[in-house]
Amino acid sequence: MHATQMPTHDDPLDVETFARPEQQRRYTAAMHRIAAERRTGDPVRVYVSAAPKTTTDANWQRWLKRITEDLPDGVELLHYGSAFEGQPYAWEALVDQLDGLVVIGRPKRLGSRVHVLGPVARLELRSMVAQKPVLLFTHNLGLVPVIDCKSQVMAPSEAPRLKLIAPKRWSRDSATLQAALDALRPVDGNGQGPEAHRDTADHLVAPFIGRRAVS
C-alpha cells in the first residue's frame, strides 16, 4: 500500500512510505543513474551527521558499527571527528567529496519512529538530499531513505530543527532502500558492483519535485 492510499485504523503513519509512487520511481531511477556512473576503484564516502551529545554517548561506536554493517562493503564512513580532525567546521569544502549522508536524530522515545535533527544536521541534509543518497538511522528499522519519511520544520525560526517520521510499515526490502544502497556500492577491480540501469532520470532533482520542501 502506498502513502497515497487510505491507511488502516485512521492512522496516518500506518503506511509503507510517505512518498508518492511517482516520486519513488524517480528516486530509484536517480539512484540507479549514480550507480551506473560509478567507475572501478572510485572511493565511496558517507558522512554520519550526529549531534555532539550523540557522538559522546557510550553507544556511539556501536551505532557506527551498525551503520557500517548496513551499508555496502567498502564504504568509507566519516563523521565530524574524523572528517575535520580538530580543524574548523567547513561543510562546503567537504560536501562535494561525499557520496552519501546518514543522519542520526534525537528519537522522541526509545524505539520511536520520530527523530528530530538539529539546525546543523538539517542544513547538511538540505545540501545533499536532492543530489545523493540521504538516509535516516533508526534504532529499530536501521537505515531509512529520507524520501520515505515525513518531514516537518520545527521552531525556533532563527535556527530551525527538522522532524523526520519513518512510516510504520516501511520495509528493508523497499525499492528505495535497495536503490540507495546500490548507489553507494563501490565497484571493485573486477568490475563487480551494481548493474547498470537503462531507466535513469534526466537529473537528480527530479525525484523531489512535488514533495513538500524541506525549508
Side-chain angles (χ1 to χ4, degrees), residues 88-173:
Y89 175 75
W91 178 253
E92 290 76 12
L94 175 68
V95 66
D96 288 340
Q97 304 173 42
L98 300 175
D99 299 282
L101 178 70
V102 173
V103 291
I104 303 179
R106 176 176 56 81
K108 185 175 180 180
R109 59 182 178 277
L110 185 64
S112 174
R113 286 171 164 76
V114 180
H115 296 256
V116 177
L117 306 183
V120 173
R122 171 182 163 272
L123 292 176
E124 291 171 349
L125 181 151
R126 284 190 65 193
S127 69
M128 293 188 67
V129 72
Q131 304 175 55
K132 304 287 179 65
V134 177
L135 306 163
L136 170 68
F137 174 70
T138 66
H139 302 297
N140 54 334
L141 299 174
L143 299 176
V144 180
V146 167
I147 190 174
D148 289 320
C149 299
K150 181 178 181 180
S151 64
Q152 178 182 349
V153 178
M154 303 174 64
S157 59
E158 63 273 14
R161 298 168 297 156
L162 182 68
K163 179 190 293 184
L164 293 176
I165 305 174
K168 276 190 173 182
R169 295 199 289 113
W170 184 86
S171 168
R172 293 191 186 193
D173 294 328

Side-chain angles (χ1 to χ4, degrees), residues 1-3 5-18 113 166-170:
M1 183 178 73
H2 296 292
Q5 297 174 312
M6 184 66 67
T8 59
H9 308 301
D10 296 322
D11 184 350
L13 304 184
D14 188 22
V15 294
E16 295 175 355
T17 178
F18 290 104
R113 286 171 164 76
K168 276 190 173 182
R169 295 199 289 113
W170 184 86

Side-chain angles (χ1 to χ4, degrees), residues 59-73:
N59 292 309
W60 171 239
Q61 291 301 324
R62 181 169 63 85
W63 294 334
L64 286 180
K65 182 175 184 293
R66 182 177 172 190
I67 292 170
T68 300
E69 292 171 346
D70 286 350
L71 291 171
D73 292 341

